[in-house]
Amino acid sequence: MAARFKVKRKGIGQMLRMPGMQAEMLRRAEVIKGVAVGLSPVDPNSPHPGHYKASWETDSTARGGRRRDRAVGYVRNTSYYARWVEYGTEKVPAHHVLLRAAQIGGRNQ
């Protein structure tokens, strides 16, 4: 005889927000941050060499996602020019540091 299983959406929602899940999302974000730091370009001719590389940070919350119903981890760079490093400009090519870090870091988890 086959086993029966009844899904309760409330229980799944609670599981997706539990502290252990939030801690795992933070751990995964830290792995991606580590890869991003390693991939970050450093311009020795700039007024603040290494500022971009030192500006990576992580965070997590139990109320993330589009519907604010699950734990998520965030990786971001707080330097004001992070967008230009990631996507490039007319004169500077895109480095896609966060994209590559997520691709590489996702495999290392």
Side-chain angles (χ1 to χ4, degrees):
M1 181 183 231
R4 292 183 178 223
F5 177 75
K6 187 170 181 176
V7 176
K8 291 188 177 180
R9 291 185 185 266
K10 184 177 179 181
I12 292 174
Q14 289 172 344
M15 180 189 71
L16 290 174
R17 288 186 303 274
M18 61 192 280
M21 188 68 74
Q22 186 176 351
E24 177 62 16
M25 294 298 107
L26 182 59
R27 185 194 70 79
R28 290 173 182 245
E30 290 289 343
V31 169
I32 292 170
K33 174 189 169 189
V35 175
V37 168
L39 294 173
S40 295
V42 176
D43 182 9
N45 299 325
S46 77
H48 305 286
H51 176 70
Y52 177 79
K53 189 173 195 163
S55 296
W56 289 102
E57 62 180 36
T58 59
D59 191 16
S60 71
T61 181
R63 292 288 184 172
R66 187 181 350 179
R67 290 188 271 167
R68 306 281 186 229
D69 62 347
R70 63 194 65 217
V72 296
Y74 296 104
V75 181
R76 66 180 145 275
N77 192 300
T78 58
S79 67
Y80 73 92
Y81 53 88
R83 171 183 279 170
W84 301 319
V85 174
E86 185 73 19
Y87 300 113
T89 64
E90 293 174 356
K91 297 178 183 177
V92 179
H95 289 278
H96 299 296
V97 176
L98 188 56
L99 173 66
R100 293 185 298 148
Q103 290 171 341
I104 296 167
R107 284 186 246 141
N108 295 341
Q109 298 186 35

